[in-house]
Amino acid sequence: DGLIGKIADVYFDDSSWAVRYLAVDTGGWFSGRRVLLTPACCRQPDSRTKVVTAALTRQQVETSPPTEANLARPGPEEVGPAVYYGWPDYWVGDPVYGTGSVGFGPALQPAPVAPEPRGPGLRSARELVGFAVRAAEGEVGRLADCLIEDDVWRVRYLVVETGNWPLSRNVLLAAEWIRQISWSEMKVLAAVEAERIRHAPAFDPDKGLRREDEERLYDHYGRRKSSES
């Protein structure tokens, strides 16, 4: 029933790359609070209008529990919204999607009790930008962005800026090719050779990513695309 704010960040699971929350800054709508929304209650983003429609009312969002801007791990900040909206518990059951999904439909009803969250770390995509990207042979660039597949709400690719300006170029690394993220050292460790990353097909964010671009990317890295990708 109207606009509620703008997406300021995305929080993802650092083991499965599943997107858990959209962090929405409500701006002048609701006293500038930041709230969490699960992708399970959202339609796919409309790339033309740049709008995401959620199965919620403005009143539901206005009276929902706020969240801190630096949310980093499953904890009390998550339990509040989960109970308030009656969202499924991603931290139990299926390691990616939890106990179930919330379809786009009627206004959601509050759940009676709060579960005890547990599981892998919850991380900010915005925080990840700027991390050094390293292969076994050494550093190859900096992380510039993340690409999210919005029909399954999962981080699929990391955009890596290689080289130095004005000769820098952006290339892609599939999330499944990442060996480890060292949050304390601000590094992303890739499980592919440095030269393959440096000479990967250039990525132009203005043109987007087509199926044939993905096939060319996987061919370059000598990898086979999994059925889940």
Side-chain angles (χ1 to χ4, degrees):
D1 57 351
L3 294 174
I4 59 172
K6 294 185 177 181
I7 297 174
D9 203 351
V10 169
Y11 292 102
F12 68 94
D13 185 314
D14 65 4
S15 63
S16 67
W17 297 95
V19 173
R20 300 305 188 193
Y21 298 107
L22 309 179
V24 179
D25 279 339
T26 58
W29 279 278
F30 307 129
S31 303
R33 294 191 307 121
R34 174 172 285 198
V35 297
L36 295 180
L37 295 182
T38 173
C41 72
C42 297
R43 284 178 174 165
Q44 282 184 268
D46 187 321
S47 59
R48 183 181 60 84
T49 61
K50 299 187 183 299
V51 170
V52 177
T53 303
L56 304 168
T57 66
R58 286 168 59 91
Q59 183 178 4
Q60 281 179 300
V61 176
E62 184 175 10
T63 56
S64 69
T67 185
E68 297 298 326
N70 62 348
L71 175 68
R73 286 188 175 276
E77 298 93 341
E78 295 186 86
V79 174
V83 172
Y84 175 82
Y85 288 116
W87 289 338
D89 312 331
Y90 78 80
W91 46 78
V92 297
D94 184 275
V96 177
Y97 299 109
T99 57
S101 62
V102 177
F104 188 92
L108 305 176
Q109 299 299 316
V113 294
E116 181 66 25
R118 62 181 183 276
L122 195 67
R123 298 296 185 176
S124 157
R126 184 177 292 276
E127 178 189 358
L128 193 60
V129 172
F131 275 31
V133 179
R134 294 183 60 88
E137 302 87 347
E139 188 171 318
V140 294
R142 297 277 170 179
L143 197 141
D145 206 352
C146 300
L147 297 186
I148 295 170
E149 187 173 354
D150 57 22
D151 59 344
V152 294
W153 291 101
R154 227 169 161 180
V155 176
R156 286 300 189 193
Y157 297 102
L158 304 184
V159 182
V160 182
E161 182 181 17
T162 65
N164 299 313
W165 189 89
L167 301 178
S168 62
R169 57 198 293 270
N170 287 336
V171 300
L172 296 180
L173 270 176
E176 62 195 85
W177 305 336
I178 301 304
R179 178 179 289 116
Q180 182 185 1
I181 300 176
S182 175
W183 296 93
S184 60
E185 297 180 352
M186 300 180 65
K187 294 178 182 178
V188 176
L189 307 179
V192 294
E193 300 88 350
E195 284 305 300
R196 283 189 185 267
I197 299 175
R198 293 191 182 101
H199 296 98
F203 170 68
D204 184 347
D206 293 330
K207 295 181 178 179
L209 189 65
R210 301 167 299 176
R211 190 69 180 180
E212 52 266 36
D213 297 327
E214 290 188 275
E215 292 173 355
R216 189 158 62 101
L217 183 71
Y218 274 75
D219 287 343
H220 169 80
Y221 283 104
R223 303 291 180 111
R224 174 177 292 183
K225 206 168 190 297
S226 69
S227 58
E228 293 184 355
S229 301

